[in-house]
Amino acid sequence: MSKKEVEFSNRDRFIELGLMIASLRKMQGMSQEKLAEKAKISRSHLSSIEAPNIVRPFSLEVLYNIADALGVRAGDLLNATLPPTK
C-alpha cells in the first residue's frame, strides 16, 4: 500500500488549510460529524484533514464539498489566513 507523499513545500499549506477548515467549522458551531456528513466524507477523513500534526492530501472534490458544506467558496478557503495566535 503506497501513501501519497506531500511535497515538503506544500506541507504547511495543507496544515494551514486544515486549520482554516477546523476554525470555520467551529465558528459555525458544527461538529466534525456534521461537517463530514454534509461534505460526504468520513469523520476520520475530516479529522485527519484538520489535524495540524498530520499532513493529509485530499482531492479538489473533497475541498469543494467541504467549502459547500461550510457555505464558502473553495478559493476563499485557500486564500484565507488565520489570525495570529496570542
Side-chain angles (χ1 to χ4, degrees):
M1 185 168 118
S2 78
K3 280 226 173 213
K4 284 187 209 164
E5 286 299 313
V6 176
E7 285 280 331
F8 187 74
S9 60
N10 290 328
R11 223 182 119 75
D12 290 346
R13 291 175 176 150
F14 273 105
I15 291 169
E16 191 169 325
L17 179 56
L19 292 172
M20 179 56 62
I21 290 166
S23 177
L24 283 170
R25 175 182 60 74
K26 290 172 188 171
M27 285 191 323
Q28 294 184 20
M30 203 181 304
S31 67
Q32 280 188 335
E33 288 84 3
K34 186 68 179 170
L35 178 56
E37 179 186 312
K38 289 175 79 172
K40 302 173 190 81
I41 60 174
S42 69
R43 193 209 56 82
S44 63
H45 189 176
L46 178 62
S47 177
S48 67
I49 288 169
E50 290 185 356
N53 57 336
I54 300 171
V55 179
R56 175 76 183 259
F58 54 97
S59 70
L60 277 174
E61 181 167 3
V62 169
L63 177 66
Y64 287 129
N65 288 351
I66 290 172
D68 289 347
L70 290 170
V72 298
R73 292 173 45 202
D76 293 340
L77 283 177
L78 294 170
N79 291 323
T81 52
L82 291 167
T85 54
K86 292 179 179 155

